[in-house]
Amino acid sequence: MQREILSILGLPGRPRPGVGSKLPSSAPLFMLDLYHAMASDDDDEGPQGVSRPVLTSLSTQSPPLGAVISQADTVMSFVNMVEHDRDTFYQKPYWKEFKFDLTQIPPGEAVTAAEFRIYKMRSVSQHANKSLHISIYEIVKEHSNKESDQFLLDLQDVEAGDEGWLVFDVTAASNHWLLNPKYNLGLRLYVETEDGHSVDPGLSRLLGRRGPRSKQPFMVTFFRASLSPVRAPRAVKQLKKRPHKKSNHLPHPNKLPGVIDHVHSNEGHQVCKRHELYVSFRDLGWLDWVIAPQGYSAYYCEGECAFPLDSCMNATNHAILQSLVHLLKPDTVPKACCAPTKLSATSVLYYDNSNNVILKKHRNMVVKSCGCH
């Protein structure tokens, strides 16, 4: 059962993140906010793209949150990184480099947006009211005898006394690295004053890996599947036919305690409708890698599609015609079937084997309504 559910979730096996991959740290906290936004977007009955405020307190140049979420199937945060500072013995300018491990990106994904997030503490020095120009570059090529070739990705102007998350658009670099992983040489960040003097990023209160866990820098990338995902083929299993129910009394269904519960009435035949079916990640023992949710209501459709088909059964014209023919030739044409008429997505937030946090939207996972087909 676990193997089948993992396959539906698009996972080759059960992730086993390392020790210490627990909240609170910056990337999981941000991704948890994003999860609530995506969960709201999944719910057709609620407002689209609405979420609790994300961690950012400074103005950003990011696309609107709702638009980014609605276009993404998968969101990955990258926390495994190498960080370097420009040696103070070298000639200026000062800089700080960040290189992220992107080897865990699944195949068949196209980047829709990517952001680098770094936290800035408030400066309390005499220069607190001065403006700072902060720029982020992709390192394109390294040289042994001169400065690296670089490509400007994004820049922001902030007050030295500001505090909060700075968000830089690094979509171009992420796209480049996805297509050519060998060119992933990292990002380089510069800080300058209004008059063009280089400032040590650490002295300007930009936090690196040595900062508090909840304020460490990370990269987040939004993906959309470039091709429809295809499940791995399996050996065909011979399924036993369900015995024809001759009695009006429905037997109590089998129940698998704690993992999947199904509930329906046993008081005679029912019309086609939706029933409860809950999948518990907690009882599957998956909460060491699944952050949210602890489970979800998948629902299922069951009931009679007997003539006449009432409007509450959401019957198609074909189902009505099939029911009429079934009355005339019950041994030749079967009754119409009770099946989902509307499905919605569900989102799962989890750690992968490298402690990256992944938010994945799985479509057609929740039955919203049932009808006769």
Side-chain angles (χ1 to χ4, degrees), residues 286-302:
W286 286 359
L287 293 192
D288 61 327
W289 62 275
V290 174
I291 301 173
Q294 294 190 356
Y296 78 100
S297 291
Y299 302 103
Y300 70 98
C301 297
E302 188 174 61

Side-chain angles (χ1 to χ4, degrees), residues 64-372:
L65 186 61
V68 172
I69 292 174
S70 63
Q71 294 171 9
D73 294 315
T74 304
V75 186
M76 294 184 69
S77 67
F78 300 95
V79 294
N80 292 329
M81 67 177 178
V82 177
E83 180 182 315
H84 291 297
D85 291 283
R86 179 67 177 261
D87 195 317
T88 54
F89 292 106
Y90 283 89
Q91 188 177 358
K92 294 179 181 180
Y94 300 109
W95 45 251
K96 185 183 283 288
E97 287 183 359
F98 305 90
K99 184 177 180 180
F100 294 90
D101 179 7
L102 307 184
T103 57
Q104 297 298 316
I105 296 176
E109 298 285 344
V111 175
T112 60
E115 298 173 344
F116 173 70
R117 294 177 170 256
I118 187 168
Y119 196 86
K120 182 188 176 303
M121 297 290 290
R122 181 178 291 107
S123 174
V124 293
S125 69
Q126 58 181 346
H127 305 294
N129 295 324
K130 291 188 175 181
S131 293
L132 296 175
H133 304 292
I134 305 176
S135 52
I136 194 91
Y137 289 79
E138 177 191 357
I139 303 172
V140 177
K141 188 175 182 181
E142 293 177 322
H143 303 281
S144 58
N145 56 352
K146 62 178 182 178
E147 283 289 340
S148 303
D149 296 338
Q150 301 173 81
F151 176 77
L152 177 63
L153 296 170
D154 200 1
L155 58 89
Q156 291 192 36
D157 293 334
V158 299
E159 297 297 319
D162 286 340
E163 179 171 351
W165 286 96
L166 292 171
V167 184
F168 295 91
D169 184 355
V170 295
T171 306
S174 187
N175 260 319
H176 185 205
W177 298 335
L178 183 63
L179 295 173
N180 302 283
K182 66 179 181 180
Y183 292 115
N184 178 8
L185 302 177
L187 304 171
R188 185 176 287 183
L189 181 145
Y190 293 89
V191 182
E192 294 180 336
T193 60
E194 287 180 289
D195 51 8
H197 285 89
S198 178
V199 180
D200 185 340
L203 294 178
S204 61
R205 307 283 283 164
L206 288 170
L207 300 182
R209 295 199 66 176
R210 297 177 182 175
R213 279 175 55 82
S214 61
K215 293 180 172 64
Q216 291 182 355
F218 63 96
M219 192 171 81
V220 59
T221 305
F222 298 78
F223 299 95
R224 185 170 184 85
S226 53
L227 297 172
S228 299
V230 179
R231 293 183 61 189
R234 288 181 175 77
V236 177
K237 298 178 181 178
Q238 187 67 33
L239 299 178
K240 294 182 179 179
K241 292 184 178 179
R242 295 178 63 184
H244 181 67
K245 297 176 182 177
K246 297 181 179 179
S247 169
N248 287 338
H249 182 74
L250 292 176
H252 185 72
N254 293 327
K255 182 178 177 181
L256 187 57
V259 177
I260 298 180
D261 301 331
H262 23 322
V263 179
H264 63 75
S265 171
N266 59 359
E267 298 176 359
H269 287 301
Q270 299 182 49
V271 297
C272 174
K273 67 178 183 179
R274 188 176 74 161
H275 300 268
E276 177 64 29
L277 170 64
Y278 183 77
V279 179
S280 171
F281 296 147
R282 171 181 292 277
D283 291 334
L284 284 167
W286 286 359
L287 293 192
D288 61 327
W289 62 275
V290 174
I291 301 173
Q294 294 190 356
Y296 78 100
S297 291
Y299 302 103
Y300 70 98
C301 297
E302 188 174 61
E304 289 288 328
C305 287
F307 187 84
L309 299 178
D310 297 333
S311 59
C312 65
M313 297 184 191
N314 294 324
T316 62
N317 289 336
H318 181 273
I320 295 172
L321 179 63
Q322 183 174 335
S323 297
L324 285 169
V325 177
H326 172 75
L327 288 176
L328 299 173
K329 299 182 178 182
D331 296 330
T332 305
V333 178
K335 292 181 181 178
C337 297
C338 182
T341 56
K342 187 176 182 181
L343 295 161
S344 67
T346 192
S347 298
V348 181
L349 182 68
Y350 63 92
Y351 290 101
D352 68 6
N353 293 323
S354 298
N355 289 350
N356 296 316
V357 181
I358 299 175
L359 175 58
K360 194 166 182 65
K361 179 188 290 185
H362 302 280
R363 304 184 186 278
N364 300 329
M365 293 285 284
V366 177
V367 175
K368 303 295 288 185
S369 61
C370 300
C372 294

Side-chain angles (χ1 to χ4, degrees), residues 45-61:
E45 298 172 0
Q48 298 296 301
V50 177
S51 72
R52 302 180 298 169
V54 293
L55 303 176
T56 309
S57 58
L58 296 178
S59 60
T60 73
Q61 299 179 16

